[in-house]
């Protein structure tokens, strides 16, 4: 159980004063008789009591550095400023154009200006425009032209989920051919997918970096002679994780990429891409909502120019750099800074430049550590005091160089004055007064006074160089479909010491952009108190797999994949399914899958013309999800335990319901009963609790009759129910064909039991042998007269139910007999 926190601040000032007064008579031997506040001694006692109360209060407070140290022992730290990110779709340029990394986009009509920056270098292609918001992209799924469906916004299945091979062709409609100069440049396509089961999209700050693909997707382009050339593994940057989540696919432009002009209209150049899977092992068919080209991920950050600074600092504590007061070169102020992006170089006493590192707390550093802290709210860089963090001791700040003389000459300083200043060239001066005195001695008082401003400006050597990113925080939380403009900010690459600006091409085409998705993320830095609360709740999370509940929760919360349910079978070993094996744990995982269509695809309101259904009755995890859960459980398991992660096993059942009803629309009633029963046995939303059919739960005729009667209402009566197990459960694809059941005795025992023994199914060869040798027994059992189901129908201990054949038979209701006439 949790211990109550120790409270040290439990002594009040009034209580201390009262206790002290009670001890005065005994301590003074009766000589101190006046105990009123007017007595100076009482005044002193009250003062000391007040000081003691303050120190007791301080003792009960935890300093921030102590909290940070405790968090670091747990492997955590307060979260820094979070940057929001979105996907920008650029307007189609007249010609192909490359955008560099950290190009700036300004939200139109924003004051103060809100700036996002591109995360990657990207090439914009001259697409044929459908309208101001869309470009022409062709789509062919398994050879069927779905371009019109894509343009009309229909949600389509890209690949199946049954394990077969499939192919998707994407056609880029361009107004001009790709020039050879673009070879090696990269372009991006946004795959906006539907129902990604809560998996964060690629541009979300909390999205995992490496998402295992559910199926290996290969990419091809049109090569010479109309052939297909495969992209290299290093060429494709698949942010979708193999169509597991929404994201960008970035591909290089190949020099031998040929346009397909056989069916292209005049002056249109069609460049084809192919996506191909050899085995579509998706849990559910990935469904595409939008396919958008000319896109790039942009985040709420702006990189500032390099600020070169000079300071007259003494080697004493308290030195700071106010980032909020740095010189402005544009309307956008370089504030507030993003703490972990601040880069600082200091020219120290040895006249060498040294890199200093940002740290969240100076108390964890010694007197020689070159560290500093950043206060985002105040916009300040703070240095240590020589005990916790090194003191910045700056180099000499003034020096006459050849460059200094050239700049003075360009400012029309007399040549005689410059010749006298050459005598000071190479000397270093530690302060402004010393520097000006030396100039006065060299050129005279009058000339020194005239060139003083120029000498201070061009003779001062920089001592500090700071550069950082501005932005982050809650200001970046924006909705979708906002207008942005690409701007050339004047301070990009500018230097404070020279004031020179980069050249801007006046002929550059003005580009507009729209963020096609809402911005994800964006938050201010986490406070110490918030970090303490977060870690208090995190300590209650399961991080070690010891009990059955530990295994199930850790499997369900595996990041990057959507696991809806997990069932841990303690003592179950896949190779020894009929015996309990100490130390063995097998975890069966059920992935999340689209379920809204389950309630609508059989209804009259379901519009299959707009959304293609991706419903899968028996969801199976893909290989990437299995590998992810295995890796996580392997990290958290006990050393002596052996953990297996398998796909669930489904027992197919056939249900027949006999109904008496006089309804005029039996078809509608039958559809309602089927939908109700399929929902009741669903592995994700079924069961009495609506959290999925329990593993190993037998089929209870009373519960089935109850659900069927609820769907039937008062329009009829369920009179009989038949439940059949027509065959063995689905094979587990993760056993690599291994089957411990060998020999006729084992096969016969399987037939006699009528249920699977554990989670291992028959192999392909044994299934054929099973059907050949025992087909007679099976057929005889199937032809025998059936009895209505009354007792519970058992399934395997670690199995789920998949409703196969579901039949509803109607007959006219018989009139009741008896009663008064």
């Amino acid at each position: 159980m949790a211990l109550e926190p120790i409270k040290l601040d439990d002594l009040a000032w009034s209580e201390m004063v009262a206790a002290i007064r009670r001890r005065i008579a005994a301590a003074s031997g009766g000589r101190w008789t006046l105990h009123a506040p007017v007595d100076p001694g009482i005044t002193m006692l009250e003062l000391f009591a007040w000081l003691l109360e303050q120190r007791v209060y301080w003792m009960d407070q935890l300093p921030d550095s102590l909290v940070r140290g405790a968090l670091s022992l747990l492997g955590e730290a307060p979260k820094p400023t979070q940057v929001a990110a979105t996907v920008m779709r650029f307007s189609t340029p007249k010609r192909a154009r490359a955008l560099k990394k950290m190009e700036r986009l300004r939200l139109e009509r924003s004051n103060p200006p809100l700036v996002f920056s591109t995360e990657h270098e990207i090439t914009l292609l001259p697409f044929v425009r459908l309208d101001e918001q869309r470009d022409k992209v062709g789509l062919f799924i398994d050879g069927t032209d779905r371009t019109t469906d894509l343009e009309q916004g229909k949600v389509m299945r890209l690949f199946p989920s049954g394990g077969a091979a499939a192919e998707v062709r994407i056609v880029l409609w361009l107004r001009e051919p790709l020039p050879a100069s673009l070879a090696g440049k990269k372009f991006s396509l946004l795959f906006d997918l539907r129902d990604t089961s809560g998996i964060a999209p690629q541009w979300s700050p909390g999205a995992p970096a490496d998402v295992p693909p559910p199926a290996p997707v290969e990419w091809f382009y049109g090569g010479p002679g109309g052939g297909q050339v495969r992209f290299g593994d290093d060429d494709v940057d698949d942010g979708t994780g193999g169509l597991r989540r929404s994201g960008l696919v970035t591909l290089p432009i190949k020099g031998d990429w040929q346009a397909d002009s056989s069916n292209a209209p005049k002056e249109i150049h069609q460049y084809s891409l192919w996506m191909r899977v050899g085995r579509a092992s998706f849990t559910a068919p990935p469904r595409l909502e939008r396919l958008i080209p000319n896109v790039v991920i942009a985040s709420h950050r702006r990189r500032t120019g390099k600020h070169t600074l000079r300071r007259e600092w003494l080697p004493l504590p308290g030195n700071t750099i106010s980032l909020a007061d740095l010189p402005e070169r544009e309307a956008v102020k370089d504030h507030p800074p993003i703490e972990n992006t601040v880069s600082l170089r200091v020219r120290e006493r040895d006249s060498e430049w040294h890199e200093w590192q940002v740290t969240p707390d100076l108390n964890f550093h010694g007197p020689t550590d070159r560290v500093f802290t950043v206060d985002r709210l105040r916009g300040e860089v703070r240095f240590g005091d020589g005990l916790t963090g090194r003191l910045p001791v700056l180099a000499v700040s003034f020096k006459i160089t050849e460059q200094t003389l050239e700049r003075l000459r360009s400012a029309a300083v007399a040549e005689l004055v410059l010749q006298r200043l050459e005598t000071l060239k190479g000397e270093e001066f530690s302060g402004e007064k010393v520097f000006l005195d030396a100039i006065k001695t060299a050129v005279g008082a009058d000339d020194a006074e005239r060139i003083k401003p120029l000498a201070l400006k061009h003779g001062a050597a920089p001592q500090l160089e700071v550069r950082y990113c501005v932005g982050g925080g809650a200001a970046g939380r924006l909705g979708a479909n906002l207008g942005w403009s690409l701007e050339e900010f004047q301070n990009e690459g500018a230097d404070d010491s020279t004031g020179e600006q980069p050249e801007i091409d006046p002929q550059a085409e003005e580009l507009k952009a729209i963020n096609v998705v809402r911005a994800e993320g964006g938050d201010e830095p986490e406070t110490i108190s918030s970090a303490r609360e977060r870690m208090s709740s995190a300590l209650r999370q399961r991080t070690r797999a010891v009990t059955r509940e530990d295994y199930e929760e850790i499997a369900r919360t595996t990041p990057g994949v959507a696991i809806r349910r997990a069932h841990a079978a303690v003592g179950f070993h896949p190779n020894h399914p009929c015996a309990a094996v100490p130390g063995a744990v097998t975890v069966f995982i059920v992935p999340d899958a689209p379920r809204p269509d389950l309630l609508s695809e059989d209804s009259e309101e379901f519009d299959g013309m707009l959304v293609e259904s991706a419903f899968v009755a028996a969801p199976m995890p893909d290989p990437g999800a299995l590998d992810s859960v295995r890796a996580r459980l392997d990290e958290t398991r006990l050393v002596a335990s052996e953990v297996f992660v398998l796909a669930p096993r489904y027992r197919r059942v056939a249900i027949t319901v006999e109904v008496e009803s006089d309804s005029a629309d039996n078809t509608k009633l039958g559809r309602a009963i089927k939908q109700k029963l399929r929902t009741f046995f669903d592995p994700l939303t079924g069961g009495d609790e609506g959290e999925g059919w329990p593993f190993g739960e037998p089929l209870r005729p009373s519960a089935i009759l109850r659900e069927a009667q609820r769907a039937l209402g008062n329009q009829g009566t369920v009179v009989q129910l038949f439940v059949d197990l027509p065959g063995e459960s689905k094979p587990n694809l993760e056993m690599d064909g291994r089957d411990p059941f060998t020999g006729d005795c084992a096969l016969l025992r399987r037939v006699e039991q009528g249920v699977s023994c554990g989670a291992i199914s028959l192999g392909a060869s044994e299934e054929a042998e099973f059907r050949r040798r025992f087909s007679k027994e099976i057929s005889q059992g199937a032809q025998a007269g059936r009895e209505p189901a009354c007792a519970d129908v058992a399934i395997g201990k670690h199995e789920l139910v998949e409703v196969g054949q579901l039949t509803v038979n109607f007959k006219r209701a018989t009139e009741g007999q008896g009663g008064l006439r």
Side-chain angles (χ1 to χ4, degrees), residues 463-668:
Q463 302 159 309
L464 303 159
E465 290 182 356
V466 59
R467 191 167 188 172
Y468 53 95
C469 289
V470 175
R477 301 175 187 169
L478 302 174
N481 301 320
L482 302 177
W484 303 75
S485 58
L486 185 68
E487 293 193 4
E488 302 287 351
F489 285 79
Q490 294 297 318
N491 76 333
E492 176 63 26
D495 194 317
D496 285 343
S497 62
T498 63
E500 297 178 356
Q501 308 294 339
E503 296 183 0
I504 299 177
D505 184 7
Q507 303 298 326
E509 179 184 1
E510 182 181 5
L511 290 179
K512 300 290 185 178
I514 293 177
N515 61 314
V516 294
V517 297
R518 68 181 180 89
E520 298 283 346
D523 204 353
E524 296 297 332
E526 188 178 31
T527 62
I528 292 295
S529 59
S530 299
R532 290 181 63 181
E533 294 178 1
R534 176 172 58 86
M535 285 307 303
S536 297
S537 61
L539 289 176
R540 292 189 290 270
Q541 297 178 359
R542 303 177 190 270
T543 58
R544 298 295 299 172
V546 180
T547 65
R548 180 176 60 84
E549 291 78 9
D550 295 340
Y551 283 97
E552 294 175 351
E553 182 174 339
I554 292 173
R556 285 196 306 268
T557 56
T558 301
V561 293
I563 305 300
R564 183 74 167 267
R565 298 179 61 194
H567 171 69
V570 179
F572 180 82
H573 195 292
N575 294 334
H576 307 281
C578 297
V581 178
V585 180
T586 300
V587 181
F588 300 92
I589 60 173
V590 184
D592 202 356
R595 275 300 178 268
D597 295 349
L598 174 64
L599 304 177
S600 58
E601 65 179 358
D602 290 334
S603 65
E604 297 177 354
E605 294 78 12
F606 178 71
D607 191 357
M609 299 298 294
L610 298 179
V611 179
E612 292 184 353
S613 174
F615 171 71
V616 177
M620 298 291 287
D622 57 78
L626 289 169
D627 291 341
S628 298
V629 177
R630 286 194 190 104
R632 192 163 194 235
L633 288 177
D634 187 63
E635 294 177 355
T636 58
R637 68 178 176 87
L638 297 179
V639 176
S641 62
E642 190 175 10
V643 181
F644 303 90
V645 179
L646 302 179
R649 287 184 52 81
Y650 293 92
R651 171 57 63 89
R652 290 184 63 87
V653 299
I655 300 176
T656 302
V657 181
E658 301 286 347
V659 178
E660 288 185 353
S661 175
D662 292 332
S663 174
D665 191 356
N666 290 337
T667 303
K668 183 177 181 180

Side-chain angles (χ1 to χ4, degrees), residues 444-462:
D446 294 338
D447 291 334
E449 189 65 27
R450 284 194 296 268
I451 67 171
K452 175 181 176 181
L454 294 175
L456 291 176
K457 178 180 180 180
H458 300 300

Side-chain angles (χ1 to χ4, degrees), residues 313-389:
W313 284 346
L314 295 175
L316 297 175
N319 296 320
T320 62
I321 300 175
S322 179
L323 302 179
D325 296 334
L326 293 180
E328 295 186 42
R329 290 182 299 271
E330 56 179 71
V332 182
K333 187 72 175 176
D334 287 349
H335 180 78
I338 303 176
E339 307 94 303
N340 53 7
T341 65
V342 179
S343 173
L344 176 65
R345 297 176 67 217
V346 180
R347 188 167 178 259
E348 299 183 13
R349 180 180 294 173
D350 57 0
S351 298
E352 299 292 335
W353 289 97
H354 296 274
E355 296 285 346
W356 287 57
Q357 304 297 326
V358 63
T359 182
D361 199 321
L362 292 170
N363 290 293
F364 299 102
H365 298 275
T368 61
D369 295 335
R370 293 183 171 91
V371 292
F372 61 91
T373 61
V374 178
D375 189 328
R376 173 178 168 85
L377 183 62
R378 292 176 172 268
E380 289 184 349
V381 171
R382 298 172 181 170
F383 297 91
D385 56 3
L387 296 176
T388 56

